[in-house]
Amino acid sequence: MSDHAAHVPGLAHHFVNMEQQKEAGTIGMWLFLLTEIMFFGGLFLAYSIFRAKYPDGFLQGSHLLNVYLGGLNTVVLIVSSLTMAMAVYFSQLGERKKMLGFMAATLVLGTVFLVVKYFEYKEKFEHHLFPAYWTYHPSATHPPEQYHAHVQVFLWIYFMMTGLHALHMIIGIGLLLVIMWMGHRGKFTKDYNSPVEIFGLYWHFVDIVWIFLFPLLYLTGFHVSNGGH
């Protein structure tokens, strides 16, 4: 290890300077996010194919979703992106308390999202709308019987896409707790804050995925029920 590297806090021995280390970490995160884009892209492609094949079933399935809870979660994640951006900003200024405060706000908002999603899932299970044990009941919570097979396809896609998104949120919250612990211990300075910035990219990506999920899953039937009838 060079004398230069040994005297720079946060600089790993295999990097020449902070700029090189930050660039390497940022490129690594973007490469990871590229694989995530391809992963979610496959799910969006499946959604597009089955929606084109079963348009009425997808409209009926969208009616089963709670657009208001979905809208609430959309607002929650948009605000969490703002708080995460502020955390990154104050990490660049070396203001530890403000950085930790906005990280804590991001943590709370992420937890709120998961709690709301829990109640959404709970409602679906209570009304036997989970496709693995679908039980048809001629009621307001179930579409007409002739659509139920196509609606099951929609619900499989809904649970798969939102479930994987929720898993990414859980992972993000876990990583955020680690970064907050590092920040609390004074690991980050004005000159060394790349972990905060790199994690911010991950958090914004997860938020953006939801921005696409919300209209595709929740608003398809909502538009028809409010504008077409």
Side-chain angles (χ1 to χ4, degrees), residues 103-173:
M103 283 184 180
T106 305
L107 178 67
V108 170
L109 291 167
T111 303
V112 168
F113 176 91
L114 291 175
V115 170
V116 172
K117 182 55 62 182
Y118 163 78
F119 283 108
E120 274 197 86
Y121 283 172
K122 182 174 181 289
E123 182 184 33
K124 297 296 176 291
F125 277 87
E126 288 175 347
H127 291 105
H128 302 279
L129 292 173
F130 184 70
Y133 66 95
W134 171 283
T135 303
Y136 175 71
H137 297 288
S139 64
T141 58
H142 280 250
E145 188 171 8
Q146 66 266 30
Y147 294 121
H148 79 275
H150 298 171
V151 172
Q152 280 183 281
V153 174
F154 171 84
L155 289 173
W156 272 121
I157 292 176
Y158 163 77
F159 277 103
M160 182 174 296
M161 297 181 82
T162 60
L164 287 171
H165 178 268
L167 176 61
H168 281 74
M169 285 293 299
I170 293 171
I171 293 171
I173 287 175

Side-chain angles (χ1 to χ4, degrees), residues 82-94 99 102-103 193 195-201 204:
L82 173 62
T83 56
M84 190 63 228
M86 294 302 296
V88 171
Y89 172 73
F90 284 113
S91 74
Q92 294 170 340
L93 297 179
M99 176 192 72
F102 279 105
M103 283 184 180
N193 51 66
V196 181
E197 295 185 34
I198 293 170
F199 171 76
L201 293 175
H204 295 317

